[in-house]
Amino acid sequence: RGYALGGARGFGATLPLDTRHELYAEVERWSGEVLADELLRPPEAYREGDEDDDADGDDDAAHVFVPTHDMRANAALVMPWLERGEPVILSGPDGAGKSTLLAHCFERLSGAGVATIFCSAQTDTRAVLQKLSQMCGAPATTAVGKVLRPRDSERLILYLRECNLPKPDKYDTSQLSSFLQQLVTYNGYYDDSLEFITLERIQIVCTMNPETTVGRHALTTRLTAVVRLGFMSFPDRDQLTDVYARMLVPILKEMTGGNDAQWAGDAPAARLAGTILDVYEGMREAFSAETHRHYQLTPRDLTAWAQALRRYDAVGGGAGTVLEAVAHAAWRHFGDRMVSAEDEARFEDILTDQLRSHWGQAPDSRDTIFTTLTVPPPVGGGGGDSVPTAPQLVRLPVVDYVPLVQDLLMRYEREFKQLNIFLFTDVVQRIARIERALSNPGGCLLLNGPSGVGRRSAVTLAAYALRLEMVTLRMGRGYDLKALRADLKASMLRAGVEGEACVLFVEDHNLGEATFLECLNSLLSGGEIPGLFSNEELETSLGPLREAFSQHGFRFKCRTLYEFFVVRVRANLRIVLSMDPSADGYSLRCDSNPALFTRCTLLWTNGWSPTGMGAVPAKLLKAVIAESNKDDGKRIVAQMIAIHDTQRLEGATPRQFVAFVATYASLFSAKRASLLKQRASTSSGLQKLAEAEATVDELSVQAQRQRAALEEKQEQAEQALGQITLAMQSASDSRNEVTVLQQRLGTEETELKQRKGAVASELAEIQPMVDAARAAVGQVKSENLTEIRSLKVPPDPIRDVLEGVIRLFGGADTSWTAMKKFLGVRGVKEQILNFDPHDITPAARDAVEKLLRQKGNSFEHAVIYKSSVAAAPLAAWVKANVQYSYILAKIGPLESEMDHLSASLDESRVRLRACEEELATLDDRVAALKADFQQRTMEAEQLKFGLQRATEQLGAAQSLLSKLGGEKSRWERQVRSLS
């Protein structure tokens, strides 16, 4: 029985499953043993019910193990080898489920750690040694020599994926294959010091695609002879339906919130699984990898399509919303990789036909926008201890999405730099698709297409919208693999240790060496680059992650801290590759580095649509077309697009089209400016000629005016001369009159002095008496006057004195009441002091003199002083003023004569001053007239000279205009032509 089982497994392992069944049946017939159950069923621990529906910790969402018949049979084949620690190479087409099967089996091996190496065309022995050093540390020295043992697990599985990708050398030898053969045959290797290192508890497991696959190479028979070989083929349609039906049940529940009965249960999932399989088979028939390498479709693409549905929010949306999400996910995964419009149309037909066939409706989701920008919190922000999860995609109309992008563009350009993005439909759709891919943790992008379509700007804006840090390689002179590894190491530490979400943007020109892309392929495939970190660096760098690893590592099935670091790198580091498929070596690069297609969302950007091509010149030439109002703007744009289309086969890119439009705008503006300058120059010449004609007319008019002005100035000069003569005569007369007045003024002043002397002598005796009386009155106190007023019947002396005072003031009422009223007037004392004797009338003086003769005793000082202290000075004042008035009457004629002389003297003085002023005015006038005469004479001479010059210019201008008559006509025709 054992011999039969060994023979069946040994010969049947490399056969397709159907042929393998036939072999097993034949062996059963030969041996007479029942072997099918043991050969086709895994041990009890791996049977149905032990499936793994949790993909959080796997390489990608494809690793969801569904125990179909084929999977159980292949597990039954592989598990005994893995348990015994035998070297294994599992072969099968891309997407057959090799990695899913092995990942499922590895998880069920007790105490086994897995070190995965993602091979590329440049992978060699160093990658294996670096991985072994990382997982095992330094070799241990034992009695039998140096031994390399696993450090963190009981046993180590060295898992090489795509082991037949490394390219053989010119001798058709693969260094990696030879090294693996050495490890298997001798269980060790020689280090750099030629000391043999023995491997202990280390098992080698490899996967490979058939050598007929593009980019794969045959393994040496020396290697295949010493390992266990197994083969996996694609599962049939029924098994695929079962796989994706099971996969879609939880996905639909998550999409609809579990509350939509229409999508609950197995039946809708199976129906949807049939739909996506029909689309998949239709595309495999319509598209061939021979046309384009990325047209090769495998069940991995189906899994990616199904798993992408988890991100769509279809709660409460009904069947149409779910189908719209299905169609949109299909467009993004398959439609965005279509190279031509014809291929897009064929894909659209396939998708639409299958949706209508299965569901009776086919939502048009080609240009529908599902975004995360309206879902808080946005992706990015970094710094988290855990691994970010994918935010949901929410449907948003284009009219609402465009303002979001415009606002983002405005804010980015305000904060950083100008992107010069034209937000027409093509660009907005591209930004939405890039944003959808980058919003998914670990979402990597391969942007294929010619340069100049705005890929870098779109990625920059999408990263800014998602709060992802944009990182580029720091290229420079002498940039080599060492510098690249340093840049990648810094980016991985930011993403894996600091938890900062970032985008690493790499373009064609950054991939100067083939090893550059190999490093990126490893990073895309497994989130690590073998040998990038030394063990000492890992111990130091990963220290801050220990707490997060203890809290979250189990969720992702991470056995070691380094595995948790790799998970965080894959989640936080988005790699965006921008490549030109027309560049030399593009196909070889993609074939040698399969992760470009298997791990990246592919977005093929051939260029801009006709609408987009028309939008760019319409915007750039808006000012040009507005200036050229006679030209048809649409026709100009159409001609530009036609010219660009003629150069597409020569490699013309949208960037060159933009440059072409900008150059046209520049040339147009320059030519227009030149023509405008020429027209302005010619118009300026015509304007000068017109100005010259106007100047000639003006000169002629000025000459006439100057002649009239000359005559006027000459006449004014003669008038000024006559006025000078008259003014000088008047000045002479005024001087004679001044002399006469001065003589008469001297005589009158002498006579006035004599009269003043006589008056002064008359008043010399009485003036002291008047002054003394005023002084005495000034000493009278208000209380004394109040005392007098208070008397009801005053003594006669007081009454007589007050009567004299009132009469001198011209009063007629001498009753006691009038007297008290007089004394009660405010300021009466000041009135008495300021009294002018000249105001005493003859009648008043006579009345007071009569009172003095009749009551003279009352005015005696001794008598009146006894009656009233205040009345005594008033009595003296009355007597002094009467005497003063008498003297004034006596000298009245003399004073009148003196006043007459004084008035005559004042008049003479006034006349003298008037004559002097008149004389000064005349002198000034004579001087002004002389100056005016001189000015007018000078102006007349200037006018005469100006008239002569104007006459000469007028003659020259008239001669020039007559000669330029023909030139003017030619310039006018030229201006009309330029306009």
Side-chain angles (χ1 to χ4, degrees):
R1 180 179 177 81
Y3 178 80
L5 285 172
R9 285 198 179 101
F11 289 106
T14 57
L15 298 176
L17 197 57
D18 293 341
T19 308
R20 194 186 309 169
H21 288 172
E22 295 177 2
L23 174 64
Y24 290 168
E26 189 67 21
V27 171
E28 287 181 340
R29 187 177 64 82
W30 290 343
S31 64
E33 298 285 341
V34 180
L35 307 175
D37 186 70
E38 190 171 349
L39 289 171
L40 297 177
R41 293 179 182 273
E44 188 69 23
Y46 309 103
R47 293 183 181 176
E48 189 170 358
D50 194 29
E51 65 184 82
D52 179 14
D53 286 330
D54 186 4
D56 288 342
D58 296 327
D59 292 338
D60 55 22
H63 292 166
V64 180
F65 183 81
V66 178
T68 61
H69 175 269
D70 287 4
M71 275 296 187
R72 287 196 297 267
N74 290 321
L77 176 68
V78 172
M79 279 304 303
W81 297 339
L82 296 178
E83 287 180 334
R84 293 193 296 268
E86 296 178 332
V88 177
I89 295 180
L90 185 61
S91 176
D94 191 18
K98 302 184 294 294
S99 298
T100 301
L101 174 66
L102 290 176
H104 174 76
C105 293
F106 291 158
E107 289 177 2
R108 282 148 182 81
L109 291 175
S110 177
V114 180
T116 305
I117 298 177
F118 294 87
C119 298
S120 66
Q122 288 77 33
T123 303
D124 55 16
T125 306
R126 289 174 299 176
V128 178
L129 292 176
Q130 288 166 351
K131 178 61 72 171
L132 288 174
S133 175
Q134 175 185 323
M135 301 302 294
C136 300
T141 303
T142 65
V144 296
K146 289 188 175 181
V147 177
L148 196 64
R149 301 188 182 101
R151 183 173 52 185
D152 299 319
S153 58
E154 295 180 6
R155 57 186 289 198
L156 176 67
I157 297 176
L158 184 63
Y159 177 30
L160 289 87
R161 300 183 58 171
E162 309 287 348
C163 66
N164 63 336
L165 260 177
K167 186 177 181 180
D169 59 17
K170 62 181 180 180
Y171 303 107
D172 201 26
T173 300
S174 171
Q175 185 187 85
L176 178 64
S177 296
S178 299
F179 185 66
L180 292 177
Q181 176 194 344
Q182 177 184 343
L183 293 180
V184 172
T185 304
Y186 302 102
N187 196 34
Y189 63 93
Y190 288 94
D191 63 7
D192 293 337
S193 59
L194 299 182
E195 188 172 359
F196 191 77
I197 309 297
T198 302
L199 301 184
E200 184 176 303
R201 302 196 308 275
I202 297 176
Q203 179 182 10
I204 297 175
V205 177
C206 304
T207 60
M208 60 173 282
N209 287 355
E211 62 181 77
T212 54
T213 307
V214 177
R216 271 62 172 186
H217 307 280
L219 295 179
T220 172
T221 55
R222 292 182 178 182
L223 174 62
T224 58
V226 294
V227 299
R228 295 294 186 181
L229 296 176
F231 178 78
M232 287 183 65
S233 59
F234 285 129
D236 57 27
R237 169 65 184 258
D238 293 337
Q239 295 185 75
L240 285 176
T241 302
D242 185 30
V243 168
Y244 290 106
R246 294 193 187 192
M247 186 184 298
L248 287 170
V249 169
I251 292 176
L252 291 175
K253 182 178 180 180
E254 184 176 344
M255 288 179 66
T256 60
N259 299 322
D260 193 341
Q262 184 177 1
W263 294 99
D266 297 336
R271 184 180 177 188
L272 185 58
T275 304
I276 65 175
L277 282 170
D278 285 342
V279 173
Y280 167 74
E281 291 173 355
M283 290 185 63
R284 284 179 61 88
E285 293 177 2
F287 303 104
S288 170
E290 297 179 359
T291 306
H292 296 287
R293 171 69 178 83
H294 60 279
Y295 279 2
Q296 180 177 355
L297 301 180
T298 67
R300 180 187 290 114
D301 296 292
L302 280 177
T303 304
W305 180 9
Q307 293 295 332
L309 297 177
R310 292 183 182 272
R311 300 187 60 196
Y312 290 86
D313 181 7
V315 177
T321 303
V322 174
L323 291 179
E324 185 177 33
V326 170
H328 185 266
W331 267 108
R332 300 292 73 83
H333 187 79
F334 300 108
D336 287 347
R337 68 175 62 195
M338 296 292 111
V339 174
S340 63
E342 293 78 8
D343 290 349
E344 287 184 357
R346 288 161 64 194
F347 166 71
E348 184 176 15
D349 291 341
I350 293 171
L351 179 63
T352 302
D353 291 345
Q354 294 303 328
L355 287 175
R356 284 179 179 163
S357 173
H358 286 269
W359 302 93
Q361 56 177 311
D364 184 9
S365 300
R366 176 175 182 174
D367 296 326
T368 304
I369 290 179
F370 283 83
T371 179
T372 63
L373 299 184
T374 58
V375 181
V379 174
D385 289 336
S386 182
V387 177
T389 57
Q392 281 192 316
L393 294 167
V394 178
R395 191 182 191 281
L396 192 68
V398 177
V399 293
D400 294 332
Y401 188 74
V402 171
L404 282 179
V405 178
Q406 291 174 339
D407 180 66
L408 287 169
L409 178 61
M410 179 187 67
R411 287 193 280 118
Y412 179 87
E413 293 182 339
R414 185 185 301 156
E415 295 179 26
F416 300 102
K417 62 178 182 179
Q418 293 291 323
L419 288 180
N420 297 320
I421 294 181
F422 302 102
L423 292 180
F424 52 89
T425 304
D426 293 6
V427 174
V428 171
Q429 288 287 347
R430 185 171 299 125
I431 292 173
R433 293 166 189 177
I434 293 174
E435 176 245 317
R436 173 186 176 274
L438 295 183
S439 64
N440 193 30
C444 299
L445 265 173
L446 175 60
L447 303 176
N448 279 334
S451 62
V453 297
R455 289 173 294 185
R456 184 188 184 98
S457 298
V459 171
T460 300
L461 188 60
Y464 175 76
L466 298 169
R467 300 183 184 180
L468 302 173
E469 184 69 22
M470 188 77 170
V471 180
T472 56
L473 301 179
R474 295 173 293 181
M475 303 295 292
R477 186 186 296 273
Y479 192 86
D480 55 9
L481 180 61
K482 182 178 180 181
L484 173 71
R485 291 170 69 90
D487 285 344
L488 294 180
K489 182 186 293 185
S491 298
M492 291 175 67
L493 289 175
R494 289 174 65 179
V497 178
E498 300 174 15
E500 181 177 351
C502 53
V503 174
L504 176 61
F505 187 77
V506 182
E507 298 179 279
D508 273 343
H509 64 85
N510 299 137
L511 305 174
E513 300 179 16
T515 52
F516 288 10
L517 195 56
E518 177 191 357
C519 291
L520 293 172
N521 181 78
S522 298
L523 194 55
L524 285 168
S525 300
E528 61 173 339
I529 300 174
L532 183 64
F533 295 94
S534 66
N535 293 330
E536 293 76 11
E537 285 179 318
L538 289 176
E539 287 292 332
T540 304
S541 301
L542 303 189
L545 275 183
R546 295 189 183 279
E547 183 177 354
F549 170 62
S550 64
Q551 294 177 359
H552 307 288
F554 70 93
R555 289 180 49 215
F556 305 97
K557 302 176 184 177
C558 299
R559 296 183 178 89
T560 64
L561 180 62
Y562 180 74
E563 290 180 3
F564 185 64
F565 167 72
V566 171
V567 169
R568 285 168 60 90
V569 170
R570 295 193 64 182
N572 288 320
L573 181 61
R574 283 86 161 160
I575 299 175
V576 179
L577 290 163
S578 178
M579 302 180 70
D580 186 353
S582 63
D584 294 337
Y586 169 79
S587 298
L588 180 60
R589 283 178 170 181
C590 295
D591 294 339
S592 302
N593 300 277
L596 297 182
F597 290 154
T598 60
R599 300 290 178 173
C600 294
T601 298
L602 187 58
L603 181 57
W604 199 280
T605 53
N606 263 332
W608 295 332
S609 65
T611 303
M613 293 291 289
V616 172
K619 184 173 182 180
L620 288 178
L621 300 179
K622 185 176 181 180
V624 170
I625 294 172
E627 291 173 354
S628 179
N629 52 16
K630 290 186 178 180
D631 292 328
D632 184 357
K634 294 182 179 180
R635 184 172 57 86
I636 293 176
V637 170
Q639 289 175 347
M640 287 184 167
I641 295 174
I643 293 173
H644 177 74
D645 289 341
T646 61
Q647 300 300 311
R648 282 184 184 272
L649 295 178
E650 304 298 327
T653 66
R655 178 184 299 163
Q656 292 171 330
F657 179 66
V658 173
F660 167 49
V661 175
T663 303
Y664 172 82
S666 175
L667 290 175
F668 180 90
S669 299
K671 185 64 176 176
R672 186 174 187 273
S674 174
L675 293 175
L676 289 176
K677 183 178 179 180
Q678 183 180 355
R679 188 181 70 177
S681 176
T682 307
S683 299
S684 177
L686 289 173
Q687 184 179 358
K688 294 297 182 183
L689 285 177
E691 291 175 356
E693 292 176 351
T695 302
V696 168
D697 296 338
E698 185 177 354
L699 287 175
S700 178
V701 173
Q702 286 180 355
Q704 296 295 332
R705 291 175 180 172
Q706 287 177 350
R707 289 190 185 92
L710 179 59
E711 294 175 358
E712 182 180 355
K713 293 297 181 182
Q714 289 176 345
E715 183 179 353
Q716 290 176 354
E718 292 177 358
Q719 291 176 357
L721 184 59
Q723 291 176 357
I724 290 173
T725 303
L726 293 175
M728 293 180 68
Q729 183 64 39
S730 298
S732 177
D733 295 341
S734 296
R735 286 190 179 90
N736 292 336
E737 185 176 359
V738 167
T739 302
V740 173
L741 287 172
Q742 287 176 345
Q743 292 175 356
R744 189 175 71 182
L745 185 60
T747 303
E748 290 178 349
E749 285 179 347
T750 302
E751 188 175 353
L752 181 60
K753 286 179 181 179
Q754 293 175 356
R755 296 291 188 274
K756 283 184 177 180
V759 171
S761 61
E762 290 290 341
L763 297 175
E765 296 179 1
I766 192 63
Q767 187 66 41
M769 293 174 63
V770 174
D771 294 340
R774 286 179 179 170
V777 172
Q779 297 300 320
V780 175
K781 297 181 179 180
S782 299
E783 293 83 356
N784 300 131
L785 295 177
T786 304
E787 181 182 352
I788 295 173
R789 288 177 58 202
S790 65
L791 297 174
K792 294 182 179 181
V793 181
D796 291 339
I798 293 175
R799 184 182 185 90
D800 294 338
V801 170
L802 290 176
E803 181 181 353
V805 173
I806 289 174
R807 288 192 180 278
L808 285 179
F809 271 94
D813 188 359
T814 58
S815 64
W816 176 241
T817 302
M819 292 177 183
K820 288 196 296 181
K821 183 177 181 182
F822 174 74
L823 291 175
V825 175
R826 180 178 295 182
V828 66
K829 187 168 72 173
E830 285 74 15
Q831 290 182 10
I832 295 173
L833 291 175
N834 296 326
F835 184 73
D836 187 1
H838 290 85
D839 295 335
I840 301 174
T841 62
R845 183 176 65 245
D846 292 343
V848 176
E849 284 181 347
K850 181 178 178 180
L851 179 63
L852 288 173
R853 286 195 299 272
Q854 295 175 354
K855 303 284 184 67
N857 188 42
S858 297
F859 289 88
E860 292 298 331
H861 179 72
V863 177
I864 191 62
Y865 189 76
K866 292 179 181 180
S867 299
S868 174
V869 176
L874 292 176
W877 180 83
V878 170
K879 290 192 292 182
N881 276 285
V882 169
Q883 291 180 10
Y884 195 87
S885 177
Y886 176 75
I887 293 173
L888 287 178
K890 183 179 178 181
I891 65 173
L894 185 61
E895 284 185 337
S896 298
E897 185 178 352
M898 188 177 66
D899 290 341
H900 176 70
L901 287 174
S902 180
S904 177
L905 181 61
D906 291 340
E907 184 180 352
S908 296
R909 286 175 179 164
V910 170
R911 179 58 185 165
L912 177 61
R913 283 196 297 272
C915 289
E916 289 176 347
E917 291 175 357
E918 184 179 357
L919 181 60
T921 302
L922 287 172
D923 289 341
D924 293 341
R925 186 171 179 232
V926 169
L929 287 172
K930 287 182 178 180
D932 182 60
F933 175 73
Q934 184 178 1
Q935 179 68 25
R936 294 182 185 280
T937 303
M938 183 176 63
E939 289 177 355
E941 289 298 323
Q942 290 177 348
L943 286 171
K944 184 177 180 181
F945 176 74
L947 178 61
Q948 181 179 358
R949 187 176 60 183
T951 303
E952 293 175 357
Q953 290 179 348
L954 180 61
Q958 289 175 341
S959 175
L960 178 62
L961 286 176
S962 63
K963 293 177 181 179
L964 291 177
E967 195 70 16
K968 177 182 178 182
S969 300
R970 185 177 67 83
W971 287 353
E972 288 175 344
R973 290 193 301 270
Q974 188 173 1
V975 167
R976 286 194 298 270
S977 174
L978 291 175
S979 299

